Amino acid sequence: MYGLSRRKRWPVRRRFLLPVPREVDMLKIHYSLDSELHNEILEIPAPAELNIQVRNLVLRTKKGALINKGDILAEAPSPFGGAYHASACGKVMKVNYHHMTIKCSDSETSVEPLDVQSMGTGKELLRTLQGLGVHVAPLSGRADVLIINGMNPEPGISAAQQILKDGGEYLKAGLELARKLITPGRTVLAVAKGDKSAIPGAETVGVKAKYPSSLDALVVRAVTGKEFPSDTKVISVMDLYDLGRVAVSGQPITDTIMTIAGRNYRVPLGTPIKHLLQTLDLPVASTDIVVLGGPFQGESVYSLDEGVKKTDYGLFIIPASQFPAVQDAPCINCGECVLQCPARVQPHLISRYAEYERFEQAEKHGLNSCFECGLCSFNCFSRRPLLQYIRFAKAQLQASGHGEQA
């Protein structure tokens, strides 16, 4: 390597092409998952129109159709993914590969509820839950240990903490249904150390409240002391809450809980971001970056017309001057992404294979072992979109039938 064999090799952290100020080299960032709750869950009013992301989904309606709240709009092609439902009544105005637009009406007609709690265990119950919008992968098959991940998913998001505080009835019903399907010998609620939250029927274990400790794989290791134990299943407290609401009401999932400007709101699925900003009087400059999700795993939006999805638990407005812009710059082989990676893969290598559409090579080098935590992109000195490349490769492999199914 250009004569490095004759010279002392510096540790990976010191391999920079440009001088790095000592203040940056010594910077210690603490990714705290602790949040302060200000109130109960607040309601966001229904918007004038819904924008539903339908890319890679199987459509179950068409342009011009009149729909009621709770009607199925699309289904996931994977064997475990939940269906997508209308969060309001209205008329389908536009459908393309990416989005479906629904003009909302004043009607409040909803689909008839199903008696989920009286159903026996087995495929019928799983298919019913899937048809009501529940992702059933964690509920399929038996396990000795069931772990409820009660950690806030990312810094700045307090949805999990809020649900543990306010979702008692639904969490209890969700756990009863989950235990009915999984029949675990041990049920554990993982929460941040010092958190006194509890769910009847589950023992409580404290986990260090520092990202990425909230990732499912790391929560499992913290609770069991093992990596990827075959006898363990994990479900997030947000999914358990949704499962309980489905069990109690018999109605499909049509909203999500989001942390916005430090408070938690119940947001109808498909609500355009601009409706949230206008309702909450949040100003956005043309140069700001708006992120759906969290600061590490979230995605910046290209339009304020984009609608909220099931797995969006936060909305952040990032001033343009706060972080250097992400760019398709060359990798400088500093190794920082490898040092930060909790999955112990090589993001710099995988992302380069993805960049040049060599997806099979990316898969061979640990693509599917990636947790998509976003630490690689966040810490990249070149500001490369590493997480986006990794997600792109996974999506392309899945679309071609070669990737792992969710």
Side-chain angles (χ1 to χ4, degrees):
M1 294 179 61
Y2 300 99
L4 283 180
S5 59
R6 295 186 179 182
R7 302 184 337 190
K8 179 180 179 180
R9 290 175 180 261
W10 291 103
V12 176
R13 282 188 183 274
R14 301 296 294 271
R15 291 188 205 150
F16 301 111
L17 296 185
L18 296 174
V20 177
R22 184 173 180 80
E23 306 84 67
V24 175
D25 197 26
M26 299 298 293
L27 181 63
K28 301 294 183 182
I29 301 175
H30 299 283
Y31 308 117
S32 176
L33 295 169
D34 287 325
S35 293
E36 182 180 351
L37 299 181
H38 296 282
N39 50 256
E40 70 283 354
I41 298 172
L42 304 174
E43 302 287 336
I44 291 291
E49 67 175 25
L50 302 172
N51 286 323
I52 314 293
Q53 189 178 110
V54 296
R55 184 181 60 193
N56 295 331
L57 299 179
V58 181
L59 293 179
R60 294 303 182 207
T61 189
K62 60 183 179 180
K63 182 179 178 179
L66 297 176
I67 57 173
N68 293 324
K69 182 179 180 179
D71 279 344
I72 291 183
L73 302 176
E75 295 178 337
S78 66
F80 301 113
Y84 291 74
H85 301 78
S87 58
C89 299
K91 182 178 181 180
V92 179
M93 304 301 293
K94 182 174 66 176
V95 180
N96 57 37
Y97 174 74
H98 294 281
H99 291 92
M100 175 188 299
T101 300
I102 299 172
K103 184 178 181 180
C104 299
S105 68
D106 295 331
S107 174
E108 296 184 0
T109 306
S110 297
V111 297
E112 289 295 321
L114 300 176
D115 188 1
V116 175
Q117 291 178 309
S118 66
M119 293 184 178
T121 59
K123 291 184 177 179
E124 179 189 2
L125 177 56
L126 287 174
R127 296 290 80 81
T128 299
L129 292 173
Q130 192 173 11
L132 291 171
V134 176
H135 182 69
V136 298
L139 306 172
S140 303
R142 313 297 185 188
D144 294 333
V145 181
L146 171 61
I147 298 175
I148 304 159
N149 186 351
M151 304 285 289
N152 288 323
E154 295 187 57
I157 296 179
S158 58
Q161 199 173 339
Q162 188 82 59
I163 288 172
L164 284 171
K165 173 179 172 288
D166 298 336
E169 174 193 2
Y170 296 123
L171 291 176
K172 182 180 178 181
L175 181 56
E176 288 177 356
L177 188 53
R179 288 172 62 89
K180 180 179 177 180
L181 288 163
I182 300 172
T183 63
R186 181 190 181 199
T187 303
V188 180
L189 170 64
V191 296
K193 286 184 178 179
D195 190 336
K196 303 301 182 183
S197 299
I199 300 176
E203 63 177 283
T204 302
V205 173
V207 177
K208 187 176 182 180
K210 179 181 177 181
Y211 191 75
S213 298
S214 55
L215 299 176
D216 283 348
L218 301 188
V219 167
V220 169
R221 187 176 66 179
V223 171
T224 67
K226 303 175 183 177
E227 293 189 2
F228 307 109
S230 60
D231 62 344
T232 300
K233 287 185 176 291
V234 60
I235 182 171
S236 75
V237 74
M238 286 81 76
D239 288 341
L240 189 71
Y241 176 73
D242 284 341
L243 179 63
R245 292 181 67 203
V246 166
V248 171
S249 68
Q251 296 281 0
I253 299 169
T254 58
D255 55 47
T256 186
I257 306 299
M258 296 183 69
T259 304
I260 308 173
R263 297 179 181 273
N264 289 298
Y265 299 88
R266 191 184 310 279
V267 181
L269 298 179
T271 298
I273 296 170
K274 66 181 180 183
H275 177 74
L276 296 175
L277 299 176
Q278 291 168 358
T279 301
L280 302 178
D281 196 23
L282 297 175
V284 178
S286 60
T287 55
D288 291 345
I289 300 172
V290 178
V291 175
L292 266 180
F296 290 91
Q297 300 181 64
E299 297 180 349
S300 58
V301 300
Y302 62 87
S303 169
L304 297 182
D305 290 325
E306 187 168 339
V308 169
K309 305 182 294 298
K310 284 183 185 180
T311 53
D312 291 333
Y313 301 120
L315 177 66
F316 294 84
I317 302 170
I318 303 174
S321 60
Q322 189 166 339
F323 290 104
V326 173
Q327 55 189 353
D328 283 320
C331 173
I332 62 174
N333 291 316
C334 68
E336 189 68 22
C337 60
V338 180
L339 290 171
Q340 297 288 342
C341 179
R344 299 194 292 271
V345 298
Q346 300 181 71
H348 67 304
L349 184 59
I350 296 172
S351 66
R352 277 184 279 191
Y353 280 128
E355 183 178 6
Y356 292 98
E357 300 186 10
R358 298 178 63 182
F359 304 124
E360 291 77 11
Q361 288 296 320
E363 193 171 30
K364 288 179 181 178
H365 284 82
L367 173 69
N368 292 317
S369 295
C370 171
F371 302 147
E372 298 186 26
C373 67
L375 284 172
C376 55
S377 295
F378 189 83
N379 289 281
C380 178
F381 286 98
S382 290
R383 304 300 298 147
R384 284 171 55 77
L386 302 178
L387 178 58
Q388 287 79 2
Y389 279 136
I390 288 170
R391 285 176 170 168
F392 171 63
K394 287 183 177 182
Q396 292 301 307
L397 285 169
Q398 187 171 336
S400 66
H402 298 296
E404 289 189 351
Q405 296 293 318

